[in-house]
Amino acid sequence: WRRRGNTGPGAEGRRGAGAAPGRASWRWALALLWLAATPGWPRASGSAPRRHWPVPYKRFSFRPEPDPYCQAKYTFCPTGSPVPVMKGDDVIEVFRLQAPVWEFKYGDLLGHLKIMHDAIGFRSTLTGKNYTMEWYELFQLGNCTFPHLRPEMNAPFWCNQGAACFFEGIDDIHWKENGTLVLVATISGNMFNKMAKWVKQDNETGIYYETWTVQASPAKGAETWFESYDCSKFVLRTYKKLAELGAEFKKIETNYTRIFLYSGEPTYLGNETSVFGPSGNKTLALAIRRFYYPFKPHLSTKEFLLNLLQIFDAVVIHRQFYLFYNFEYWFLPMKFPFIKITYEEIPLPNRNKTFPGL
């Protein structure tokens, strides 16, 4: 599935994450951790016309070619290979793979903070060959989370695509040393082939990465405004599809990293044209650009620290966040605890009893 993705560099957990063309901006991840650990401030309230929540993730009819402006330090899916067609009676072992984000650079540091990258492994018992399948950013995490403010453009410019990567082999040491490599199910070759067709369609229609899950509060059952769309969600979607095809999963605990923003009910602001176009709202456009300015790349340490204070002032003190979702802008009236990184258990799915013969 690197047919289109191979023209754009990027990576997440296994290779790294950055926020600018040609450079990894890992400091923003540390900034998010710092904000997540911030003590509480007074709660904010927000209201807007009632909508259907969470906002559905928008899918597309095809995957566009990456813009040449969008570059990154680590090549996307550098060893990608075609997905094999398995023999129908083959027995395929399915493995849960998880390792710390940026392990290649920081070892198990982020693993201690439970910031993990997820993938799926397969092993054919007929051929003995192993395979890895994962979904991550073409241009690294920072580019998918924050835009570039290009002087020749009025609107923020986004380098945001995510895609599936499939390649032969499983790096046992990488997944086992600081993470997880565990058998979760066995499937037939026929089920694998059906899953592969589904993944191709999923990959061509779900083209962009979404970092944040946005909720009303950390409380159980709280309203969810926006769902994330990341590596773990791809793994969960694939598990669900396999269950629909008849796979029976083991009863083991499975946890996933999630990054939350907490806000009152979001307010829809408009798309790029309605906000930044000739007839757009110039005051709103300026406010959005000012909000994103502190996240710009290529900063010195002094600039980074000053910008971090500006981010703290906007998000925590003034309780404001501008979210770009479905290529549209939303205002989030932020609430305590503002941002939080969790490592939550999400159970493996149950087999779909309507497909007993698979």
Side-chain angles (χ1 to χ4, degrees):
W1 298 298
R2 58 191 295 264
R3 178 167 61 87
R4 293 182 184 273
N6 64 344
T7 59
E12 183 196 315
R14 197 163 49 86
R15 299 165 187 81
R23 182 173 176 178
S25 182
W26 53 268
R27 291 177 296 185
W28 289 123
L30 300 181
L32 293 177
L33 289 173
W34 177 71
L35 283 173
T38 298
W41 290 79
R43 297 175 65 88
S45 60
S47 62
R50 183 65 182 171
R51 291 177 174 267
H52 174 70
W53 306 108
V55 174
Y57 175 89
K58 184 178 180 180
R59 288 186 173 269
F60 296 81
S61 57
F62 68 96
R63 177 179 292 275
E65 293 290 343
D67 190 293
Y69 178 86
C70 299
Q71 300 293 322
K73 188 172 183 178
Y74 303 98
T75 302
F76 175 81
C77 203
T79 60
S81 59
V83 182
V85 177
M86 303 294 188
K87 292 186 177 181
D89 60 349
D90 195 352
V91 177
I92 311 296
E93 296 176 325
V94 182
F95 297 92
R96 165 175 160 80
L97 306 179
Q98 190 175 74
V101 170
W102 299 318
E103 186 183 32
F104 78 105
K105 190 177 183 70
Y106 302 109
D108 65 345
L109 173 62
L110 295 179
H112 291 300
L113 300 172
K114 298 300 183 183
I115 302 178
M116 309 294 280
H117 171 64
D118 297 276
I120 306 175
F122 301 96
R123 179 181 177 273
S124 164
T125 57
L126 280 181
T127 66
K129 290 185 177 180
N130 296 325
Y131 304 91
T132 299
M133 183 172 73
E134 54 189 337
W135 193 95
Y136 61 90
E137 320 92 331
L138 267 65
F139 314 113
Q140 272 90 76
L141 180 60
N143 280 316
C144 293
T145 309
F146 303 109
H148 296 272
L149 301 179
R150 300 172 63 176
E152 72 276 18
M153 293 182 176
N154 189 34
F157 182 81
W158 293 85
C159 292
N160 186 353
Q161 280 198 45
C165 173
F166 187 97
F167 56 95
E168 186 173 338
I170 295 177
D171 186 349
D172 288 29
I173 295 177
H174 167 72
W175 300 107
K176 283 182 177 179
E177 192 171 59
N178 298 310
T180 300
L181 195 165
V182 62
L183 180 71
V184 293
T186 56
I187 61 176
S188 68
N190 183 47
M191 290 167 62
F192 177 92
N193 296 334
K194 290 181 179 180
M195 177 211 70
K197 290 180 180 179
W198 169 84
V199 170
K200 185 176 186 299
Q201 181 185 24
D202 180 81
N203 188 54
E204 287 294 308
T205 60
I207 66 171
Y208 74 95
Y209 188 100
E210 178 53 51
T211 303
W212 315 105
T213 297
V214 186
Q215 287 191 175
S217 78
K220 186 176 181 179
E223 186 86 71
T224 298
W225 312 121
F226 301 93
E227 292 278 9
S228 61
Y229 198 88
D230 55 17
C231 63
S232 65
K233 286 300 181 72
F234 172 74
V235 169
L236 290 167
R237 288 197 305 278
T238 305
Y239 286 163
K240 180 181 178 182
K241 184 63 181 180
L242 289 174
E244 290 175 359
L245 293 172
E248 191 161 344
F249 287 86
K250 294 179 177 292
K251 304 298 182 184
I252 60 174
E253 183 176 332
T254 52
N255 294 73
Y256 303 87
T257 300
R258 302 180 73 187
I259 304 179
F260 288 89
L261 294 177
Y262 299 108
S263 81
E265 189 166 325
T267 300
Y268 176 73
L269 301 176
N271 58 27
E272 180 177 310
T273 301
S274 65
V275 176
F276 296 94
S279 301
N281 185 327
K282 291 183 171 54
T283 301
L284 176 59
L286 180 60
I288 293 175
R289 287 183 63 91
R290 282 178 174 171
F291 173 79
Y292 285 127
Y293 182 81
F295 296 97
K296 67 179 182 177
H298 307 298
L299 301 175
S300 67
T301 300
K302 181 180 178 180
E303 288 174 323
F304 172 75
L305 293 174
L306 289 173
N307 284 7
L308 188 58
L309 290 175
Q310 292 180 42
I311 295 166
F312 182 86
D313 180 72
V315 176
V316 177
I317 305 300
H318 290 92
R319 311 181 193 101
Q320 299 175 344
F321 196 100
Y322 290 95
L323 180 73
F324 189 63
Y325 195 90
N326 284 346
F327 295 91
E328 296 174 319
Y329 289 93
W330 299 77
F331 175 76
L332 306 181
M334 298 298 288
K335 298 166 61 178
F336 174 79
F338 308 106
I339 180 173
K340 189 176 183 181
I341 300 174
T342 67
Y343 189 63
E344 298 183 359
E345 180 182 8
I346 302 177
L348 289 164
N350 292 319
R351 177 177 177 173
N352 191 330
K353 299 301 183 182
T354 61
F355 296 92
L358 294 178

